Amino acid sequence: KAGVTQTPRYLIKTRGQQVTLSCSPISGHRSVSWYQQTPGQGLQFLFEYFSETQRNKGNFPGRFSGRQFSNSRSEMNVSTLELGDSALYLCASSWRGQEADGYTFGSGTRLTVV
Amino acid sequence: QKEVEQDPGPLSVPEGAIVSLNCTYSNSAFQYFMWYRQYSRKGPELLMYTYSSGNKEDGRFTAQVDKSSKYISLFIRDSQPSDSATYLCAINDYKLSFGAGTTVTVRA
């Protein structure tokens, strides 16, 4: 059974640019969540999608957005990149995104903003 | 106040020792508690998942939840160098709220 796949693994972007990250969940999982991991703030929840709808959102500015497609694959977009956006971005999938569900994480996309 | 507090360590123990990791949480309504392990340059991997209070054992790993004191623990028995990683506690409240993570090194 294939795990959660995130592409690309590494990205270097310049301040002011925008970036799109991709996540393919485990087959059959309909919920996809995104997290940002930094040394200072740790792992923080960005948003969660279920059946192509954003169901939950963390405390991040509107520059961070996402979407989910009918096959449950998800993309995350960050516009007008800032140096502080440098982080490991992790995608997690679960069957329904309910409290009782476990979440499986991908290996992440390491974004560096210069 | 953060929802989950965890001492970031680091923690260094000799091989074969018992590793004890702890977290506290703020909201007594939380019911679902997780422990994740994260190796360098990898995503977190689910280790243990506990509902409400009590103990759960899986091989060398034991997770405990004490809802009366809002305290969650993970114990690793007979620790191995391969257990060297960052351990993260998390609350599942329709999203995961993580502790800061404790970096553990098991010395051979």
Side-chain angles (χ1 to χ4, degrees), chain A residues 9-10 35 37 41-45 48 56 88 90 97-108 110, chain B residues 2 29-32 34 36 38 41-46 49 86 88 92-100:
Chain A
R9 289 296 310 276
Y10 302 93
Y35 291 81
Q37 187 173 30
Q41 299 298 316
L43 268 158
Q44 294 185 281
F45 172 74
E48 184 241 357
N56 204 349
L88 179 66
L90 291 156
Q98 300 297 304
E99 283 181 300
D101 291 350
Y103 290 79
T104 302
F105 281 83
S107 291
R110 172 79 58 186
Chain B
K2 288 196 73 174
F30 292 140
Q31 296 273 46
Y32 296 88
M34 298 169 160
Y36 279 85
Q38 187 174 23
R41 294 190 177 85
K42 295 286 189 181
E45 168 197 11
L46 181 62
Y49 190 178
T86 297
L88 300 135
N92 189 355
D93 184 27
Y94 295 96
K95 65 172 175 26
L96 295 178
S97 296
F98 286 92

Side-chain angles (χ1 to χ4, degrees), chain B residues 9-58:
Chain B
L11 190 60
S12 179
V13 300
E15 184 174 357
I18 295 175
V19 176
S20 174
L21 303 166
N22 305 295
C23 293
T24 58
Y25 61 94
S26 58
N27 189 338
S28 57
F30 292 140
Q31 296 273 46
Y32 296 88
F33 307 92
M34 298 169 160
W35 283 94
Y36 279 85
R37 175 176 63 193
Q38 187 174 23
Y39 291 114
S40 182
R41 294 190 177 85
K42 295 286 189 181
E45 168 197 11
L46 181 62
L47 264 182
M48 302 287 286
Y49 190 178
T50 311
Y51 169 70
S52 195
S53 275
N55 291 3
K56 185 173 183 179
E57 195 170 310
D58 184 2

Side-chain angles (χ1 to χ4, degrees), chain A residues 14-95:
Chain A
T14 305
R15 255 186 318 175
Q17 287 186 313
Q18 75 164 18
V19 67
T20 300
L21 313 180
S22 180
C23 172
S24 293
I26 289 173
S27 178
H29 284 191
R30 295 168 63 192
S31 168
V32 174
S33 303
W34 289 89
Y35 291 81
Q36 181 196 66
Q37 187 173 30
T38 59
Q41 299 298 316
L43 268 158
Q44 294 185 281
F45 172 74
L46 280 155
F47 31 64
E48 184 241 357
Y49 286 87
F50 180 82
S51 292
E52 302 178 66
T53 301
Q54 187 181 89
R55 198 164 57 171
N56 204 349
K57 189 177 188 310
N59 190 25
F60 277 82
R63 300 185 297 107
F64 292 82
S65 63
R67 58 177 176 168
Q68 187 181 33
F69 302 95
S70 58
N71 62 358
S72 293
R73 190 178 71 85
S74 177
E75 287 181 347
M76 186 191 116
N77 186 76
V78 188
S79 62
T80 320
L81 284 165
E82 300 177 358
L83 295 179
D85 296 333
S86 294
L88 179 66
Y89 289 89
L90 291 156
C91 165
S93 79
S94 73
W95 180 39

Side-chain angles (χ1 to χ4, degrees), chain B residues 71-91:
Chain B
Y71 203 76
I72 56 179
S73 304
L74 178 72
F75 300 97
I76 308 173
R77 290 183 301 281
D78 187 26
S79 57
Q80 304 295 310
S82 59
D83 294 327
S84 299
T86 297
Y87 291 81
L88 300 135
C89 58
I91 307 295

